[in-house]
Amino acid sequence: MTKNPLNKPAQSQPSAAEQVAALLFASQPDLLPPSHYEKLYPPRLLPKGAMVTRFAPSPTGLMHIGGVYMSLINKRLADQSGGVFFLRLEDTDNERYHADAVNTIIQALTQVNLLPHEGVVGVDKGQALQKGSYGTYVQSERVPIYHTFVRELIAKGLAYPCFLTMEELDETRAKQTLSKQRPGCYGKWAKWRDAAPEKVQEKLAQKTKYVVRLKAPGSYDKRLTWHDEIKGDISVPENDVDAVLIKSDGLPTYHFAHAVDDHLMRTTHVVRGDEWLASVPLHLQLFQAFGWQPPKYAHVGPIEKLEAQPDGHNSRRKLSKRKDPEANIQFYFQKGFPVEAVLEYLTHLIASSFEDWRRQNPAKSLADFAINFKQFSPHGALSDFDKLSSISKDIIADLDAETLYKRALQWALEWDQSLAELMKKHETLTKRALNIERGGERRSKRIATWQDLRSQLFFIYDELFNDLPVFPFPERISTLDRNAIIAAFLKDYQTSWEKQQMLDYAKDMALKQGYAPNGKTFDKDPKAYKGHFGDVMMVIRVAICGARESPDLWEVMQVLGVERVKKRLQQSLG
């Protein structure tokens, strides 16, 4: 046996796996070791029980209402536990990436007051603005990190380069389908799983494209049981498919990147859509491969809608970006739903108990309602526009006239500019009109969205009122009788009338002209009367407001003023 003259420890021969790792990353000698990133991103110093949650969208287009839903859930869980909510951009899918989508995401979260505590918090000149000590929070900027950790897996024999071409994969899939086997790269189909370093080196020399796959340790014949925070204990076959971790362009797949990032960013809870439920066995294998503690997973059912079927029944389906305009969060802003209404509505979808809580705590902040995983339905929540409109009416009804004017004008400046011009031109008149039926027990709930403003304000503005093509007077009142009602009201109209005085006069006039005092009396003997008192008031309302429905008529008349009221009554005589 030859002695080591320098007393240096003999270096062991690299394993086949280590040789493959060295070959694959020979052009990246500056890759840092995993230990560097473990030190760079240490465990967070947070209170016990604090949740670290995230919203991790792919910037691929419009902001789905489901994205706002997920952001609300994740931020609330972090806020109420003293934790951290961060936003990470998962932008490694070059085929679907849209540069403007980053701004769309940030704009939407800003509009609904759900900006993250950390991560991507803005956009400036097309660049993501970030804050926090666990970044970068843009996956395309974290490629060296992914290469560091995938190199470690390869060196440990837990991952491998796969040189199968698309043609070979299609051929494999066809054979599996023909023989009624599960599709995928596993078992005998995973031809590069245990390839010798020499074969790998040969392919690299030929500059053959490759992906890196996980050497899945699972067996499909065995079961994996894990606990989902919403859906409970789930038992599924172990994953035995060698999933792609790094694509041929060097970018990571979602599966690999999320495991590395959620570990290094110290995510405690991954709350995401249940379309990812089937991926959990693979994700748990990735955490196990690194020896990391996995986060707790909670899979939320999607927001769904009812769709009529040919057989007359309704079926539920997920809101679709392509088919459903309400899938886009901008739809709600354009319609004019206040932000508070959208957030309360989404909270209602999270927990059915929220409705009772709100009824008992009408003045409390939404943040005072604590959410927990037990409140979630294992299934999807059903979209309910009637509920959203009801919530919105209550919120708008509680606003004072000054606040209502400011917020309504803000919406109109973006979505209805001609109305905005009228609101600014007649500011005092508009505020007085918005104050009708506001406050007290009889607060108005006529406005469900800011889009309703035009129908609720048009009669205030002469510019709109004078362009009305049709006045919807009651059909059973003849033009002659209608003129008689208007002429009598106009003749004796007093600006000093209080509301009850006006009603008393109108009722007395109606009786003298042959109208029943009420609808019930008229219905008993309709031939004995021209109509009833409600018809008389409808004639006056239409003459003054141009519509059968309006806020309290007496209050409207006070806002319009005597000269305008008389002019409109005079013009309606025809």
Side-chain angles (χ1 to χ4, degrees):
M1 183 175 179
T2 304
K3 292 184 179 180
N4 184 340
L6 300 178
N7 294 319
K8 291 183 178 179
Q11 293 187 359
S12 60
Q13 184 71 18
S15 67
E18 289 171 333
Q19 291 178 54
V20 170
L23 286 170
L24 294 178
F25 294 96
S27 63
Q28 295 177 263
D30 296 331
L31 282 183
L32 297 167
S35 59
H36 169 80
Y37 296 107
E38 295 290 348
K39 292 178 182 177
L40 185 62
Y41 306 119
R44 296 173 182 266
L45 299 176
L46 294 171
K48 184 179 181 180
M51 294 186 184
V52 179
T53 64
R54 49 46 163 205
F55 176 49
S58 296
T60 58
L62 60 83
M63 181 65 160
H64 197 283
I65 184 67
V68 175
Y69 187 49
M70 288 298 174
S71 297
L72 173 63
I73 293 168
N74 279 286
K75 187 167 188 180
R76 290 297 314 282
L77 290 170
D79 281 343
Q80 67 192 32
S81 65
V84 175
F85 166 61
F86 67 88
L87 189 152
R88 181 174 70 226
L89 288 180
E90 301 194 340
D91 62 339
T92 59
D93 188 341
N94 287 329
E95 293 183 2
R96 298 176 63 228
Y97 175 78
H98 288 272
D100 292 340
V102 178
N103 190 61
T104 298
I105 292 167
I106 296 299
Q107 180 186 14
L109 293 182
T110 301
Q111 287 173 300
V112 293
N113 303 317
L114 289 176
L115 275 178
H117 306 125
E118 165 183 311
V120 179
V121 295
V123 179
D124 182 37
K125 298 178 181 178
Q127 297 297 312
L129 298 177
Q130 305 180 49
K131 73 173 184 179
S133 304
Y134 290 78
T136 172
Y137 299 87
V138 180
Q139 285 189 337
S140 61
E141 299 172 1
R142 298 172 63 83
V143 174
I145 299 177
Y146 306 130
H147 286 187
T148 284
F149 284 95
V150 83
R151 180 181 64 176
E152 180 185 32
L153 288 183
I154 295 170
K156 290 181 176 180
L158 302 176
Y160 65 94
C162 174
F163 296 91
L164 288 173
T165 65
M166 291 303 298
E167 291 76 18
E168 288 175 311
L169 290 170
D170 288 341
E171 183 181 347
T172 294
R173 195 176 298 110
K175 289 179 179 178
Q176 290 170 332
T177 302
L178 189 63
S179 58
K180 297 183 179 180
Q181 297 185 60
R182 290 180 295 111
C185 188
Y186 61 92
K188 68 177 183 179
W189 311 105
K191 296 180 180 179
W192 286 91
R193 197 174 215 262
D194 298 305
E198 294 77 17
K199 280 195 170 185
V200 172
Q201 187 172 22
E202 181 183 334
K203 284 292 185 180
L204 291 176
Q206 296 170 358
K207 296 185 178 180
T208 305
K209 287 187 176 183
Y210 66 91
V211 298
V212 177
R213 293 182 182 274
L214 175 70
K215 194 175 285 187
S219 171
Y220 195 75
D221 296 328
K222 296 180 181 178
R223 306 288 293 183
L224 169 70
T225 300
W226 59 280
H227 181 76
D228 186 272
E229 297 297 306
I230 293 174
K231 299 182 184 297
D233 290 338
I234 297 175
S235 179
V236 294
E238 289 183 345
N239 173 62
D240 65 346
V241 175
D242 292 353
V244 175
L245 305 182
I246 300 293
K247 297 176 287 186
S248 59
D249 59 6
L251 294 174
T253 59
Y254 167 80
H255 306 294
F256 185 61
H258 111 275
V260 173
D261 290 345
D262 282 334
H263 169 68
L264 293 179
M265 295 177 184
R266 310 298 172 175
T267 307
T268 65
H269 292 73
V270 172
V271 185
R272 60 188 179 185
D274 62 8
E275 66 269 23
W276 294 106
L277 198 61
S279 300
V280 173
L282 166 61
H283 296 168
L284 292 177
Q285 284 179 344
L286 288 169
F287 281 93
Q288 182 182 21
F290 286 113
W292 296 336
Q293 176 69 35
K296 294 181 179 180
Y297 286 102
H299 290 85
V300 181
I303 299 176
E304 300 175 323
K305 70 179 297 182
L306 291 177
E307 185 171 65
Q309 299 301 309
D311 62 2
H313 291 85
N314 290 327
S315 65
R316 294 170 66 136
R317 65 166 176 81
K318 182 179 178 180
L319 284 179
S320 166
K321 288 183 179 182
R322 294 181 180 180
K323 297 171 64 175
D324 305 311
E326 67 268 32
N328 187 346
I329 185 60
Q330 293 300 323
F331 169 86
Y332 300 84
F333 300 143
Q334 182 176 359
K335 285 290 185 183
F337 288 104
V339 169
E340 306 98 304
V342 174
L343 294 178
E344 293 239 349
Y345 166 66
L346 292 177
T347 304
H348 170 77
L349 296 184
I350 293 170
S352 59
S353 61
F354 173 70
E355 188 170 4
D356 288 337
W357 180 89
R358 173 53 77 202
R359 195 177 294 112
Q360 296 167 12
N361 302 278
K364 283 194 173 183
S365 165
L366 182 62
D368 292 326
F369 179 76
I371 65 172
N372 61 71
F373 293 123
K374 292 180 180 179
Q375 297 167 322
F376 288 78
S377 167
H379 312 291
L382 190 62
S383 177
D384 185 349
F385 263 83
D386 289 338
K387 186 63 184 176
L388 174 57
S389 294
S390 176
I391 292 171
S392 188
K393 285 179 181 179
D394 285 337
I395 288 173
I396 293 176
D398 283 339
L399 299 177
D400 61 78
E402 187 70 29
T403 303
L404 179 58
Y405 173 80
K406 288 180 180 178
R407 296 190 58 179
L409 178 60
Q410 183 181 20
W411 175 86
L413 285 168
E414 182 173 2
W415 299 104
D416 191 343
Q417 293 182 6
S418 62
L419 177 62
E421 291 303 314
L422 290 170
M423 292 176 70
K424 290 191 292 182
K425 179 181 178 181
H426 306 290
E427 180 176 344
T428 301
L429 182 67
T430 303
K431 289 179 180 179
R432 290 186 63 200
L434 291 173
N435 202 40
I436 295 174
E437 296 179 349
R438 189 149 301 275
E441 294 182 2
R442 270 192 67 222
R443 58 183 186 149
S444 173
K445 292 187 179 182
R446 295 178 180 276
I447 302 175
T449 73
W450 304 129
Q451 205 171 66
D452 293 336
L453 288 167
R454 180 173 283 272
S455 64
Q456 293 299 310
L457 289 175
F458 82 91
F459 54 83
I460 294 296
Y461 307 124
D462 290 336
E463 296 92 330
L464 298 181
F465 182 88
N466 292 336
D467 284 340
L468 285 175
V470 177
F471 283 73
F473 290 107
E475 291 83 357
R476 65 171 162 238
I477 306 300
S478 68
T479 301
L480 184 65
D481 288 335
R482 184 179 77 212
N483 285 342
I485 291 170
I486 295 171
F489 190 85
L490 178 61
K491 176 176 177 293
D492 292 318
Y493 172 59
Q494 301 291 324
T495 58
S496 60
W497 275 346
E498 291 297 327
K499 183 176 181 178
Q500 192 57 50
Q501 287 179 290
M502 180 192 75
L503 292 174
D504 290 342
Y505 171 78
K507 180 164 285 190
D508 183 62
M509 175 192 68
L511 294 175
K512 289 178 179 177
Q513 291 195 22
Y515 294 88
N518 51 57
K520 195 172 183 180
T521 302
F522 174 78
D523 290 339
K524 288 181 179 179
D525 190 4
K527 292 183 179 180
Y529 303 97
K530 296 177 180 178
H532 58 79
F533 174 61
D535 295 323
V536 172
M537 292 306 300
M538 183 62 71
V539 167
I540 298 170
R541 184 183 300 276
V542 171
I544 295 173
C545 300
R548 293 190 179 189
E549 293 185 6
S550 74
D552 182 88
L553 181 58
W554 181 80
E555 290 190 58
V556 169
M557 293 166 67
Q558 300 303 301
V559 170
L560 288 173
V562 61
E563 294 304 322
R564 189 178 278 122
V565 169
K566 287 184 175 181
K567 183 178 180 181
R568 290 186 178 184
L569 289 170
Q570 188 66 47
Q571 288 175 335
S572 66
L573 292 170

